[in-house]
Amino acid sequence: QVQLVESGGGLVQPGESLRLSCAASGSTWSLNVRGWYRQAPGKERERVAAIVSGGSTNYADSVKGRFTISRDNTENTVSLQMNSLKPEDTAVYYCNMGSTWAGTDYWGQGTQVTVSS
């Protein structure tokens, strides 16, 4: 089992920045995919960014150039630096980690990000 704890959400104004972090504990040795998802009210959960063990990253078109995902394997953390935030970025953000070969998938509890003037 893997436990994920997120931090860093909050209320910011448009154009400002936030950094989300997710710390993993437990059986983290098998994890090879780490990512962030978000879910806005009335919308489906969508993947925002992901990073795999080799370091490759991918982003949703809506956040490319503004968000950056990074991970520290030693500390089992994954972070999401969010710059130039827009009101449409408002959502609950969820950390996700898993293993494609073990077929496991773990979620954090979610952290609220609100972008409003």
Side-chain angles (χ1 to χ4, degrees):
Q1 284 290 331
V2 172
Q3 296 77 42
L4 304 179
V5 177
E6 300 147 351
S7 61
L11 170 64
V12 296
Q13 295 187 348
E16 294 185 340
S17 299
L18 273 178
R19 185 177 181 86
L20 305 181
S21 292
C22 176
S25 61
S27 300
T28 60
W29 57 271
S30 65
L31 301 175
N32 62 349
V33 179
R34 297 161 173 83
W36 288 92
Y37 288 69
R38 67 186 181 187
Q39 188 167 19
K43 294 188 177 181
E44 294 186 354
R45 189 174 296 189
E46 64 172 349
R47 189 168 72 177
V48 175
I51 184 168
V52 297
S53 293
S56 297
T57 59
N58 61 72
Y59 298 90
D61 288 342
S62 58
V63 306
K64 281 181 181 177
R66 300 188 298 122
F67 290 11
T68 302
I69 189 171
S70 61
R71 53 97 170 97
D72 182 334
N73 285 338
T74 301
E75 296 183 353
N76 288 312
T77 61
V78 61
S79 299
L80 185 68
Q81 177 67 40
M82 305 185 294
N83 298 328
S84 302
L85 283 162
K86 305 175 180 180
E88 51 263 44
D89 294 318
T90 296
V92 177
Y93 283 70
Y94 296 91
C95 175
N96 172 264
M97 296 191 188
S99 170
T100 53
W101 61 268
T104 55
D105 197 28
Y106 304 98
W107 293 90
Q109 79 282 4
T111 184
Q112 177 69 47
V113 171
T114 303
V115 185
S116 175
S117 55

